[in-house]
Amino acid sequence: QVQLVESGGGLVQPGGSLRLSCAASGSIFGLLAMGWYRQGPGKQREFVADITSGGGTNYANSVKGRFTISRDNAKNTVYLQMNNLKPEDTAVYYCKLQRVGRDYWGQGTQVTVSS
């Protein structure tokens, strides 16, 4: 089994920054990628960014140039640095771990961008 624990969400003003963390534990052999998705009020869950086992990164167009995904392999942790936040970034952010055979999801962390 794999456990994912997210942290770092909160309330921030437009233009502000937050850094989300997702720590993975358990059987993470066969790791393919880790990433972030989000679900805004009344919206479907959408892709935000991911980082593959080889270090490649992918971003949604809506966050390119503002968000940066990174990882610390020693800590089995992935980070999402979010800068220049906008009200439309308000959502519950979920960490996802893709492993050979199945995917795992975290419990989500709320990010609210409001003045």
Side-chain angles (χ1 to χ4, degrees):
Q1 280 290 353
V2 173
Q3 295 79 42
L4 301 173
V5 178
E6 300 132 329
S7 60
L11 173 64
V12 64
Q13 291 186 341
S17 298
L18 283 174
R19 189 177 81 152
L20 305 183
S21 300
C22 174
S25 61
S27 301
I28 59 173
F29 63 90
L31 176 68
L32 297 175
M34 289 184 70
W36 294 92
Y37 288 68
R38 67 186 181 186
Q39 187 165 12
K43 298 181 181 179
Q44 292 187 331
R45 191 173 298 189
E46 64 177 4
F47 170 78
V48 176
D50 69 10
I51 183 165
T52 69
S53 58
T57 58
N58 301 286
Y59 295 93
N61 288 333
S62 59
V63 307
K64 279 182 181 177
R66 300 188 298 123
F67 291 11
T68 302
I69 190 169
S70 62
R71 68 183 182 190
D72 183 332
N73 289 333
K75 296 181 179 179
N76 291 327
T77 299
V78 65
Y79 304 96
L80 185 68
Q81 177 66 42
M82 305 186 294
N83 297 328
N84 190 21
L85 282 160
K86 304 176 181 180
E88 52 263 42
D89 294 318
T90 295
V92 179
Y93 284 71
Y94 296 92
C95 177
K96 177 183 175 182
L97 185 149
Q98 292 176 262
R99 206 190 75 180
V100 174
R102 65 168 291 181
D103 298 336
Y104 297 85
W105 293 89
Q107 79 286 355
T109 185
Q110 177 71 45
V111 171
T112 302
V113 185
S114 175
S115 56

